[in-house]
Each structure stands twice: as structure tokens, then as C-alpha cells.
Amino acid sequence: MSLLIKNGEIVTADSHYKSDIYVEDQTITRIGKNLEAPPNAEVVDAEGKYVFPGFIDPHVHIYLPFMGTVTKDTHETGSKAGLVGGTTTFIEMMVPNKNDDLLEGFELWTGKAKNNAASDYTFHMGVPYFNEKTESQLKEIIQQGIASFKIFLAYKGVFGVDDEELYNTLTFAKKHGIITTAHCENETLVSELRKLLMSQGKTGPEYHEPSRPAWVEAAGVKHFTSFLETTGAEGYIVHLSSEQALNEALRAKNRGVKVSIETLIQYLLLDSNHAELPNFEGSKYVMSPPLRIKSNQKILWNGLERGLIDTVATDHAPFDFKGQKDMGKGDFTKIPNGIPGIEDRVNLLYTYGVKRGNLNLNQMVSLLSTKQAQLFDMFPRKGTIQPGSDADLVVYDPNYRGKISAKTQTMNVDYSAFEGMEIEGKPSLVTVRGKVSVRDGEFVGDKGWGQLVKREPSHF
Ligand code: URP
Ligand code: ZN
Ligand code: ZN
């Protein structure tokens, strides 16, 4: 299998130049002008198009049993949707709950992905408790190629950890060079506020945000970063949504705490008004942390532009409006939290980031691919375009014009949170380790082509 991509504008996190790329088997072997290919090679003309390194979504839920239901995508449908949108590797949260065995959880999630995912993938290993078996089980999981953990400060009783568990997890992580990702919200405040609002008859989706306001998120960030500071472990704050939480994270960074920050494409483009839509439509926008008031968006864009925020993810968690979100009619605490997005992240950041002048192309590549590859121990195999890297490539058409719609999306869910939004660019061809998986914008890959990206811890 060999492939020559000619005349494209190659964009990485730190370069932008016109050149050809030659791919042999699964790897980029040559980059240069006027490259020649053997007669049996496929030749793609990328004149007028960008060629980006395959994008990496560092935070998705493909299989998530949660709040009495399960996310709608399978590893086949979720990875196809990601590929159509230019995501060639996703990092899924593997989230066994308090009653589950960690190794069994590991087998369950890896078993679901294997032979089904069309793109590459890896996992953040959820650690919902820390008991006498945990150390040996986590060592075994690290041996299998997992180099990052996930802990929840929220969702106590399901996934959430107490302080002793948090301390033990981070101490273990530091010793083994693991980076720990964290959902930061103070659970006690959430649960008290929920009870208060419900007792006042405030039961609709618009009360989800007031039940977990920005200072509750900031309190979680402060808590997590204090534990990082004490243990010396390295951390990563997932789905940061607000100015208050950002300020708290930056305060920690400024005093030397090793912590990186992820925001989500929806926090940059949607706001708390969406959760107020009539006819229970607001439930489509219920996620945690919640969509914030619009003034936060400018702060987050600025944080991206100035390099204060490291990555943009989706937290893809697809629940149907009919049959799943509506479980919470009359009680917002029962609306399954999460929105779909794996298909839309790249086109939205290109359109509303690059085209609207909020970011340049190099920053976009860093935020959507390179930084996650570096933080999560996949660089330079993933996250860049250079000889020796996996041939994960996105030939991107900046002349495409279209609108996002649930009617045309690949994600297996009955609505789009970005319905009707204009996009001004789209992947035309996408390769995963050299295999053309999207052609002319359509999925042409193979279920099962995706591999677990095995990683070695480096965060000692
Ligand atoms: O609302 C969300 N974010 N749902 C998915 C689970 C999580 O907290 O990331
Ligand atoms: Zn979360
Ligand atoms: Zn999540």
C-alpha cells in the first residue's frame, strides 16, 4: 500500500509549507517537492487544500453506561463519525464504577473497541476507588499500554473518589509517570444545590447550570490542583468551561503545579441560553460542567489564542433526545448528561477559530492534535507530519461550505447540538496509518482497522 499526496499545504503546530508526502504501508516515509511514486501507488492531488496531521480527540465517551442508560454510539459508528470529521485517533474514558473490578473494566472497554473501531484509539483508565488490589491492577493496565488515568471529583457513589482515594491515585501516578485527567466539580455543593432547586419546584433543564455554577467548578479545580501540588503528580483538567475555573487553574500553574487544561468546542460556541429552550429542547444541551453565560466564551477563546489552554476536545457523549434525554422531564437531575460532537470539532474550530480570526492554523493543529499527542505520550508517532510518523493525514478542503444537521450526520444520535451552524471547510480525504478511510467526504474505511495506540508513561 503506497500513497502520494501531491501539492498540498502541509500544516503542523510549527510549520506551514507546500510539499508532497509519500506514504509506504502505514508510515510517512518522505516529504519533499516533486516526489515520484511507483506506478501502483495511489496519487492524490491536494492542490488548494491543507494537509493536517490526523486530529486527536482527547476526551470522548463511546461506551458510557451512565444515569440509567448508555450512550448511543458503538465503536464502529463513533469512530466513523470521528473520521468523517477528521479525527483519526480518539481517547476514550474507560470508566468502571465503584462496584466494578478495574481489570474487568479494562477488558470490557478494550473488547468493545477491538475489531470495531475504524480509527485508532486509546483510553484514559478510570480510577473510581483505591483499595488493596488497585496498585497491582493498575500496574497490569499500564503494562498493556495505558499511560493516563481519569478521576472524577463529581458523581460521588458512581465514579467519584474521596480525598484519600485521590491522594493515593496521584501518589501512585507520580511514581509510575502517569498523567491524571480530572473532572473538577465540588460534588457536595452540586448535590445540595440540586436538592434546593428541586424543593423550590425548579425542575427544568434550565436549572442544571444553577445547580453546578462556575464557582463549584472553580472549587473542584482548586481541590485537584492542591492535591497535584502535594503529591507532585502531573494533571490535566478536562472540560474546563468558565472564567472562574480558568483563573483557579492558572493560579496553580503560576505557582509551578504541573497541570494542563482542556476546554470543549461547545463551551466556545454555545451558552446557557441553549438550556432554556422551550419544549424540553434545553435538555439537548445538558452536560457537566454546564454551558455557561456567553461572556465566558471570549475568555476561553483568549485562553486558546494565548496558549493558556492546551487542547480542545468534545466530551462526546451521545444520548438521544427521544427516549434518553426525556428521562429527565420534570426532574433535571435525571437528564443524562452529555452531548454529541466527535464529528464536528475540527470543522467548528476551523470555521469559528481560524476563519473568524481567533486562531491561526498552527494553533488550531496544536489544540486539536499535537498537544494531546505530546501530553498523552503518542508524539511524534501521532500529532505531526514527519518521516517516521504514522500516516494519519487529513486533506482539508477550505472551499467547502455547508451546514451541520442531524439529518446528514454520521453520529448515531437523533439530534445535533450544532444544528444549522455554518461550516466553511471539511476533510475531503482522511487516512489512518495509510489507509484511505474518508474519500470525497464519505467514509470508505474498514470497521476493525483501528488499533489500540500503546503508550509508555513519561510524566515522572
Ligand atoms: O456531561 C458530561 N460531561 N457527560 C459525560 C461524562 C463526563 O462528565 O464527562
Ligand atoms: Zn466529566
Ligand atoms: Zn467526559
Side-chain angles (χ1 to χ4, degrees), residues 67-88:
M67 298 183 73
T69 188
V70 184
T71 38
K72 279 296 301 297
D73 268 318
T74 62
H75 286 80
E76 182 183 356
T77 61
S79 64
K80 274 188 192 174
L83 284 167
V84 168
T87 291
T88 53

Side-chain angles (χ1 to χ4, degrees), residues 59 61 93 150 239 315:
H59 180 173
H61 303 270
M93 300 296 173
K150 170 71 183 287
H239 52 38
D315 194 8

Side-chain angles (χ1 to χ4, degrees), residues 151-154 156 161 163 166 170 181-190 212-229 236-242 244-249 252 255 257 259 289 292:
I151 57 103
F152 290 89
L153 299 187
K156 284 233 164 68
V161 287
D163 283 356
L166 176 60
L170 292 177
T181 72
H183 174 133
C184 298
E185 288 180 301
N186 181 299
E187 177 62 21
T188 309
L189 294 177
V190 173
R212 25 205 344 142
W215 65 84
V216 165
E217 185 187 12
V221 169
K222 184 162 189 179
H223 200 77
F224 179 54
T225 52
S226 307
F227 277 68
L228 292 176
E229 192 165 12
Y236 174 97
I237 297 163
V238 298
H239 52 38
L240 183 135
S241 70
S242 64
Q244 284 99 319
L246 180 61
N247 285 341
E248 208 52 67
R255 57 178 198 271
V257 178
V259 65
R292 303 297 185 192

Side-chain angles (χ1 to χ4, degrees), residues 107-390:
E107 298 299 335
L108 177 67
W109 263 270
T110 48
K112 283 185 177 290
K114 196 173 174 181
N115 301 324
N116 283 312
S119 71
D120 280 354
Y121 57 90
T122 178
F123 298 94
H124 299 303
M125 180 66 213
V127 186
Y129 52 76
F130 206 95
N131 64 25
E132 57 292 337
K133 279 205 314 198
T134 306
E135 289 211 8
S136 63
Q137 293 203 324
L138 289 178
K139 279 186 197 159
E140 169 65 26
I141 289 164
I142 294 167
Q143 285 287 319
Q144 306 269 347
I146 300 301
S148 48
F149 293 162
K150 170 71 183 287
I151 57 103
F152 290 89
L153 299 187
Y155 314 135
K156 284 233 164 68
V158 187
F159 308 125
V161 287
D162 65 24
D163 283 356
E164 205 176 331
E165 291 164 337
L166 176 60
Y167 182 85
N168 287 333
T169 303
L170 292 177
T171 303
F172 176 90
K174 164 78 182 157
K175 187 166 164 205
H176 294 274
I178 297 289
I179 182 168
T180 301
T181 72
H183 174 133
C184 298
E185 288 180 301
N186 181 299
E187 177 62 21
T188 309
L189 294 177
V190 173
S191 106
E192 293 305 321
L193 286 169
R194 281 175 145 197
K195 277 190 254 168
L196 185 66
L197 289 159
M198 286 297 293
S199 74
Q200 295 169 341
K202 296 176 174 167
T203 59
E206 68 274 28
Y207 294 105
H208 178 70
E209 201 282 337
S211 77
R212 25 205 344 142
W215 65 84
V216 165
E217 185 187 12
V221 169
K222 184 162 189 179
H223 200 77
F224 179 54
T225 52
S226 307
F227 277 68
L228 292 176
E229 192 165 12
T230 308
T231 56
E234 184 158 346
Y236 174 97
I237 297 163
V238 298
H239 52 38
L240 183 135
S241 70
S242 64
E243 178 181 9
Q244 284 99 319
L246 180 61
N247 285 341
E248 208 52 67
L250 295 179
R251 259 196 284 281
K253 267 192 179 192
N254 282 340
R255 57 178 198 271
V257 178
K258 289 181 278 178
V259 65
S260 303
I261 302 169
E262 167 194 285
T263 191
L264 305 180
I265 192 69
Q266 54 268 36
Y267 297 141
L268 296 163
L269 301 172
L270 309 175
D271 62 67
S272 49
N273 285 334
H274 288 84
E276 292 167 15
L277 290 173
N279 304 322
F280 203 61
E281 292 272 322
S283 66
K284 293 176 177 174
Y285 301 91
V286 166
M287 72 201 78
S288 297
L291 295 174
R292 303 297 185 192
I293 55 168
K294 203 169 175 56
S295 57
N296 286 278
Q297 291 176 0
K298 198 160 174 243
I299 310 287
L300 296 176
W301 280 112
N302 188 43
L304 298 178
E305 199 270 325
R306 292 176 56 198
L308 304 173
I309 298 175
D310 299 275
T311 60
V312 177
T314 60
D315 194 8
H316 176 74
F319 296 105
D320 275 343
F321 179 54
K322 291 206 175 69
Q324 292 188 297
K325 289 284 186 181
D326 57 12
M327 290 160 62
K329 265 195 179 152
D331 181 350
F332 72 86
T333 70
K334 297 199 166 61
I335 301 170
N337 286 200
I339 72 166
I342 194 169
E343 190 166 347
D344 303 315
R345 177 185 66 131
V346 172
N347 296 330
L348 288 169
L349 199 74
Y350 176 73
T351 305
Y352 297 95
V354 176
K355 294 285 287 186
R356 301 290 183 271
N358 293 310
L359 298 172
N360 64 41
L361 282 166
N362 302 107
Q363 288 169 323
M364 172 186 137
V365 171
S366 177
L367 290 161
L368 294 179
S369 178
T370 312
K371 204 61 198 262
Q372 29 279 61
Q374 291 167 334
L375 286 169
F376 299 119
D377 300 300
M378 293 185 274
F379 189 85
R381 177 175 166 195
K382 308 282 190 194
T384 193
I385 297 177
Q386 65 182 49
S389 295
D390 282 357

